[in-house]
Amino acid sequence: MTDHYAVVGNPIAHSLSPRIHRAFAAQTGEDIRYEKQLVEKDGFAEFARNFFAAGGRGLNVTVPFKLDACEFADRLTERARAAGAVNTLAKQDDGSVLGDNTDGAGLVMDILHNLRWPIRDKKMLLVGAGGAARGALLPLLGEEPALVHIANRTVQKAEQLVAEFAGHGSQNGRGAQNSRGAQNGYGALSAGGLEVFPGSFDLVINASSASLGGELPPLPPEIIGPGCKAYDMVYGAEPTPFMRWARDRGAEVADGLGMLVGQAAESFALWRGVMPQVAPVLAQLRAELQEK
């Protein structure tokens, strides 16, 4: 019997999720049907109830419904609770619906396995303190960086994330207290604005929405340390303004297409119990983007 899955959003026409999941299904031999669904902005809960009642097995959830999906789920994974948002819903054998957030895991998968950039013991800058940053924090902290500094136009939002995530981590005693941050089990976690930074960084991740509008976050060049890697969660056929800025200052750069495919692979594995190969699907999508 063919199992039914879908991605839900508004807008949704641009979504690559059906292409990605159909490729995963062909690769693994899983029998699924996957579609994209445009839902009215006040209609998520009704759609999801009807979808699962009709036998649907899982949903991917994108803008603007990740908070709605969090409320809809019967229970949440740890990373979904930490993110406060859900991008994947999965029907369980007991009839309940599990909510997960695979965005951060997809980011870490791309950085570590596709790009082969190290995270452990590195100084990391996370630009932005919205939903993208929140979803990424717990998986990034799990890789034990030496420091994660969150920089945001509104400092209070960055400080709030530090306060919320400082308690996450193992009890290995690593990390150091600082004036605008807190110690967690993995390393130092700090916050600030976009004017003053605690030195340069090994890895800079743009989790702000600036690239969506073709803009560049107001960052000083001094944040780019020797051998720095710079990652933009946005993707496209051309490098983003942030990627061009970082590359011009000597950083190795990457966009978020691998994160998109990685988070989809995490969803697929949650639903089907098998982890697909990301590399061939990512290579195909990259080639098609460059042809446009």
Side-chain angles (χ1 to χ4, degrees), residues 58-204:
L59 289 174
N60 284 136
V61 183
T62 187
V63 175
F65 297 125
K66 292 185 179 183
L67 296 181
D68 298 88
C70 193
E71 294 178 2
F72 180 86
D74 296 309
R75 57 190 180 90
L76 302 173
T77 63
E78 180 185 6
R79 59 194 183 187
R81 283 195 301 273
V86 161
N87 78 331
T88 304
L89 292 171
K91 188 74 170 287
Q92 304 295 284
D93 291 340
D94 63 2
S96 65
V97 175
L98 175 68
D100 195 8
N101 190 307
T102 67
D103 287 332
L107 171 65
V108 168
M109 179 190 297
D110 192 32
I111 291 173
L112 291 181
H113 301 296
N114 297 328
L115 298 169
R116 299 191 181 279
W117 294 352
I119 297 177
R120 184 181 174 88
D121 293 327
K122 299 299 182 181
K123 290 181 63 180
M124 182 184 305
L125 171 63
L126 191 61
V127 182
R134 179 180 291 275
L137 258 176
L138 190 61
L140 286 171
L141 289 170
E143 298 303 322
E144 302 189 14
L147 166 70
V148 177
H149 181 75
I150 306 168
N152 193 60
R153 290 180 191 271
T154 305
V155 178
Q156 289 82 357
K157 288 186 68 176
E159 292 176 337
Q160 180 62 32
L161 283 186
V162 169
E164 290 182 28
F165 281 83
H168 290 284
S170 60
Q171 302 300 314
N172 57 16
R174 300 177 67 219
Q177 186 79 24
N178 57 64
S179 61
R180 303 198 74 176
Q183 179 178 314
N184 63 28
Y186 300 122
L189 184 60
S190 62
L194 297 177
E195 299 81 23
V196 180
F197 294 83
S200 62
F201 298 88
D202 305 303
L203 174 60
V204 179

